[in-house]
Amino acid sequence: MLWTRKDLLGLEYLTPDELQLILDTAESFKEVSTREIKKVPALRGKTAVNLFYEPSTRTRVSFEVAAKRLSADVINIATETSSVRKGETLIDTGKNIQALKADIIIMRHNCSGAANILARSLDISVVNAGDGWHEHPTQALLDIFTLKEKLGKISGLNVAIVGDIAHSRVARSNIWGLTKLGAQVTLCAPEMLIPPGIEITGAKISNNIDEVLKNADAVNVLRMQFERDEGAAFPEQLDYFKKFGITEERLAKAKKDIVVMHPGPINRGIEMSSGVADGKNSVILEQVTNGIAVRMAVLFLVSQAKEAKG
Amino acid sequence: MSILIKNGRVVDPANKIDAVNIQAQAATIIDAAGKIVASGIIDIHVHLREPGREDKETVASATAAAAKGGVTTVLAMPNTHPAMDCEDNIKLLQGIIKKSALVNVLICGTLTKERLGQELSDIAALKKVGALAISDDGCSVDSDTLMLEAFKKAKQAGLLTVCHCEDKKLSGKGVMNLGFNSTRLGLRGISNESEYKRVSRDIELAAKCGAPVHIAHVSCRESVDIIAAAKKRGVKVTCETAPHYFALTDEDIVDYDTNMKINPPLRAKQDVAAIKAGLKNMVIDAIASDHAPHTENEKDIEFDRAEFGKIGLESGLAISIMELIEKKILSWQELVNVLAVNPAKILGIDKGTLSVGAQADLIVIDAGKEFILEKKSIVSKSKNSPFIGRRLKGLVEYTIYNGKVIYQG
Ligand SMILES: [Zn+2]
Ligand SMILES: [Zn+2]
């Protein structure tokens, strides 16, 4: 199949075939990072701009490494140093970057939909590196890639996502991606952290982590943030850990080979115990490694789509 | 100079007429064969933006848009800069209207000074200078005691109170309807509750002192039920909805189109069904545009940061024809009732009919004419319509205001 999209905005918009193509492409790029010279010329002469309106060292560095392993030039723009704070609009900023003849904008933004708005205003590619509570497609892709690597398939798996689903772009992207590829997703969180209507995606909802873990082939544990300006009462940290924290005791009652994932950075002792984070079921560092391959695949595919279009 | 409109289908529910009209002698003759002839639309919820935000809209540009949309009377909402909260400010606006309005512009004064919800405006003085109603539109007065006091003063003055029903403690930082679509888009939701609880409160307070109350822009099913129940028990309540609340749902915000960011928000399918049913069974008295112009700078940005509101003067009739006449929700008589007859009654003005001797505000409509709404054809100074690019049906051919043709399509 041919990749035709100039942008990657979210997994909701992709077909199962397109998801599969990204995963297959990532598979072939993974080997590059194991070479002595970790570079292929796939994007030589291309410029990728990391436009980050929200601080995120992890994701930014991962994209930067991915772009460089494809031989692209990378420019980093962070809000503190750009004209963003002086009131330039998102679209103006994007058009300026386009005028520099950059090829891809990789954007992190605190407003949901920012990547959609930028993408429809520009001819160059936009890759969403996380927008508000909306989507974080490459994170979900690397989660899915890792899961497939560990368990050999996605279809038919029971995958639990635990934590603040309501305010999580990682959760949304995972729900879309996993569901489209045939997995059964179960969301586990206090009721106030389950967003309305989410069951329409096909995900099941539970507030009993022990029940959920019993059936799960994998559990994706979201980072919890307890300070918010939302006004809604958030659970107490300790109380949350008691009811939903992933501990060795809880894992002992789960499937032996259950895969434990976390998008990082981990709050040890809040969403999972240190023993679990560093334990034999944890694939947290493999996720980081796979993030490079998945992002290489995405950057490669979107830039190809552009060339195909002329 | 006299105008004769011949051969048109005259829809005049106030006089129980629905017939092809007869011929007579006149200086100008408009052949309206196959067309609908009706009273000019009376739009009781319009933001003119002048004085203060002439970059968004002016009295001249808004009334030109009104003329194009078949609207011959508008009620100007008071959230201008300065707000219409005292005699002087209303006189200022009256001066502008006199100079540049193309259609009849009526003025709504504020409930509270600067619309801050703290201190009541001098409601009797607003009435005296010519305000037809009072409202803090854009805001709701949070204090029950102040709101009750406002209803009492408005009743004494003989003014209608128009309520924007929103409990901001509940709607908070919401930017669209709360539900699966807000979940999917990752946007903060606005519950139906934030609207209908305030509808309920305002009706209760108005009923307490026997003051008439008009609920602006009803968007959700519970509000319709609450108003229906209040009407049943004899409360003097009227209400309006806007075309977007029966033509669009929150599902239409697919790609973060900020022209779909409206307050109250576009609701769910069940709400749209309830709004249509409310129009059919006359719980909803009127259709008003809530014409809310905003510049591209205020709309062509992140969804969270964009202003609420859309323009509607030019597209309201077409949307109403498509959604209500074509889908057989309302008859032409019923549509003219909600567009002209009832709005006139709500404001207590002698308009909305084609009676002999009545001021000649009327429109000729080609109900079957299809067109694509193009940005460049929009007369309003702001172009923030969610219907741009859509195929619409129902075009105004002539708008006649006070006996003069002010628009010809
Ligand atoms: Zn309002
Ligand atoms: Zn309004």
Side-chain angles (χ1 to χ4, degrees), chain A residues 197-233:
Chain A
I198 193 73
E199 67 283 354
I200 293 170
T201 59
K204 290 183 191 162
I205 296 165
S206 169
N207 56 14
N208 186 333
I209 185 67
D210 295 300
E211 282 296 313
V212 168
L213 285 179
K214 245 190 250 167
N215 282 318
D217 298 300
V219 56
N220 201 341
V221 187
L222 302 174
R223 180 178 162 82
M224 286 297 295
Q225 279 168 285
F226 290 89
E227 332 72 39
R228 276 190 193 277
D229 56 351
E230 293 308 306

Side-chain angles (χ1 to χ4, degrees), chain B residues 44-47 49 77-79 135-139 164 216-217 240 263-264 289-292:
Chain B
I44 57 176
H45 196 130
V46 174
H47 296 273
R49 304 297 187 213
M77 286 294 119
N79 62 334
S135 177
D136 269 4
D137 186 46
C139 298
H164 167 110
H217 43 57
E240 89 212 9
N263 186 24
S289 64
D290 199 358
H291 179 79

